[in-house]
Amino acid sequence: MKKIWLLLCLPAFIFGTQLEKWDLEPGVWQASLHRKDGADIVFNFEVKDSARKKLIYVLNANDRLVVDDVKIQGDSVFIKMPFFDSEFRASFTKEGQLQGNWIRHLADKDVSIPFTAAHNVKQRFEQHTPAKGNVTGRWSTWFTSPGKSDSSFAVGEFRQQGNIVHGTFLTSTGDYRFLEGIVDGDTLKLSTFDGSHAYYFTAQVKDNTLENGVFYAGIGDGKEEWTAVKDDKAALPDETSLAGAKPGSGRPTFSFPDINGKKVSFSDKRFENKVVVITIMGSWCPNCMDETGFLSEWYKENKARGVEVIGLAYERTTDFAKSQKALQGFLKRFDVNYPVLITGVTVSDPERTEKTIPQITKIKGFPTTIFIDKKGNVREVHTGFSGPGTGEHYETFKKDFNSLVNVLLEEKS
């Protein structure tokens, strides 16, 4: 009888041991997205055990993006990012590392890139030689697409301690969020990943210039050349100068379904005689994620003062159900209590402004924030958003935002 019992238990013991072998080990991992041109986009993530489940924190400079949808099945790992409808599908190698693909689910197709990750590798980039320069400061920066003569302007802001660099690029339509990297000898290397952004920047550091820069963007072969000059006075155009109210346009008149399919109109009693902040956004937009995080908390703290917030969502598809699905996780993560309306107009539609809020000039960036006074008039339009990754610019934004709302609240209706 004892022999039969042992035989019955043996397969379960072997199977149980096999399952324990395949585990996402706690600690810091180094991940790589392998582009066809060899310019791997590298980032780090940390795995923690919490209440019998795995949590992953994607690490970029001072940002820790929590990922709580992690499943391990046999030798396979499925990691669903909280935003932007992307995921990792990977399997364990014999050494316990990960190998698979990062997949982005777009409106009409899926695109992917090979992915690997190594456990217990805390460095982002390998350091070969000590830094030969320091990039701390503000930089006037120009990005140029290969084969094109025109360039786009940005302001680079970096902080370097030893070999380690944190920073971002600010543009008129938003910032590149949290960049992290090193100066290896005379070479600057910066990267970021958040489920949508997958960026790698490299350049040669020469005194007060950054030369021979290349910007590698995500899946595919997208890249641009860039150069920069150190400039303490580098600045972007005023955020209110890129879009505004059309003369004599009057109050907005839009009406769209919210996330639950209920029609919401700007003419609803809820918005009468109130200061209203309208945010032009999309679930695919990382800068919109940062603004939504700010607005959600701000609205909870200020709604009793006679203010309202409305989100107008421009998704990658005109299909309501698909747009609804894309937005649900986004809004849940930030506990959004103000209405977010699905416009049914895609972000790429050249007539997106005319079809949704024709009272303003062309929408040039996401997010765009529209401030409405108590009489329903468009008072200011702000293009872009300086998020937490921009440091002091984010603090300035919050101060200016509150100052403008306070002025509008003090006016008579």
Side-chain angles (χ1 to χ4, degrees), residues 85-328:
D85 204 9
S86 76
E87 64 180 311
F88 292 92
R89 298 177 186 173
S91 58
F92 290 102
T93 67
K94 292 180 179 180
E95 296 77 22
Q97 311 304 326
L98 291 178
Q99 181 175 314
N101 291 281
W102 174 47
I103 304 163
R104 294 195 66 192
H105 304 291
L106 304 180
D108 57 348
K109 63 180 179 179
D110 290 349
V111 293
S112 65
I113 185 172
F115 153 82
T116 59
H119 178 244
N120 205 27
V121 181
K122 296 183 179 181
Q123 66 185 23
R124 200 175 190 90
F125 298 100
E126 184 177 356
Q127 189 78 43
H128 298 95
T129 57
K132 295 181 180 179
N134 192 305
V135 298
T136 296
R138 185 174 295 182
W139 299 76
S140 290
T141 309
W142 294 267
F143 289 93
T144 307
S145 297
K148 294 185 178 181
S149 57
D150 58 325
S151 61
S152 59
F153 180 74
V155 176
E157 292 199 347
F158 310 122
R159 300 174 302 280
Q160 181 177 340
Q161 291 186 334
N163 293 331
I164 304 299
V165 180
H166 291 177
T168 194
F169 290 100
L170 298 94
T171 76
S172 294
T173 56
D175 62 274
Y176 282 73
R177 306 193 75 243
F178 298 87
L179 302 180
E180 180 179 346
I182 62 172
V183 174
D184 182 20
D186 64 352
T187 302
L188 172 66
K189 299 177 182 179
L190 294 166
S191 67
T192 191
F193 174 79
D194 58 17
S196 177
H197 280 152
Y199 294 159
Y200 172 40
F201 300 84
T202 182
Q204 301 302 121
V205 182
K206 294 187 178 180
D207 298 323
N208 291 323
T209 63
L210 298 174
E211 301 178 1
N212 303 316
V214 183
F215 165 34
Y216 301 92
I219 295 172
D221 56 1
K223 65 180 181 180
E224 292 182 322
E225 299 170 352
W226 65 282
T227 59
V229 176
K230 201 164 191 178
D231 181 0
D232 293 339
K233 297 182 179 180
L236 297 170
D238 188 287
E239 61 184 2
T240 65
S241 67
L242 300 177
K246 291 179 180 177
S249 58
R251 60 185 292 124
T253 56
F254 60 79
S255 179
F256 300 108
D258 66 12
I259 193 72
N260 297 312
K262 179 183 177 182
K263 271 289 181 72
V264 175
S265 300
F266 187 72
S267 59
D268 290 347
K269 190 172 183 64
R270 167 178 185 171
F271 307 112
E272 286 183 5
N273 302 318
K274 290 185 179 180
V275 173
V276 182
V277 178
I278 300 172
T279 172
I280 303 295
M281 49 80 70
S283 65
W284 48 268
C285 163
N287 292 128
C288 301
M289 176 181 72
D290 288 334
E291 188 191 46
T292 300
F294 165 77
L295 284 175
S296 179
E297 291 303 313
W298 183 88
Y299 180 64
K300 292 172 190 174
E301 295 171 1
N302 290 274
K303 61 183 178 180
R305 300 173 63 204
V307 296
E308 288 291 340
V309 177
I310 307 173
L312 294 183
Y314 300 71
E315 296 299 305
R316 297 190 186 278
T317 173
T318 58
D319 185 286
F320 180 86
K322 290 182 179 179
S323 297
Q324 181 187 48
K325 182 180 178 182
L327 281 162
Q328 281 173 336

Side-chain angles (χ1 to χ4, degrees), residues 323-384:
S323 297
Q324 181 187 48
K325 182 180 178 182
L327 281 162
Q328 281 173 336
F330 186 95
L331 301 181
K332 182 179 179 181
R333 175 58 68 97
F334 293 110
D335 191 26
V336 174
N337 292 326
Y338 54 81
V340 174
L341 314 185
I342 299 175
T343 64
V345 177
T346 63
V347 59
S348 59
D349 191 326
E351 296 183 351
R352 63 193 182 195
T353 312
E354 291 80 3
K355 290 179 178 180
T356 56
I357 188 161
Q359 292 78 18
I360 68 169
T361 57
K362 291 285 185 182
I363 298 169
K364 294 186 178 180
F366 287 79
T368 289
T369 312
I370 305 167
F371 295 84
I372 311 291
D373 65 20
K374 293 179 183 179
K375 295 180 180 179
N377 298 312
V378 176
R379 291 291 292 272
E380 281 195 15
V381 180
H382 294 192
T383 301

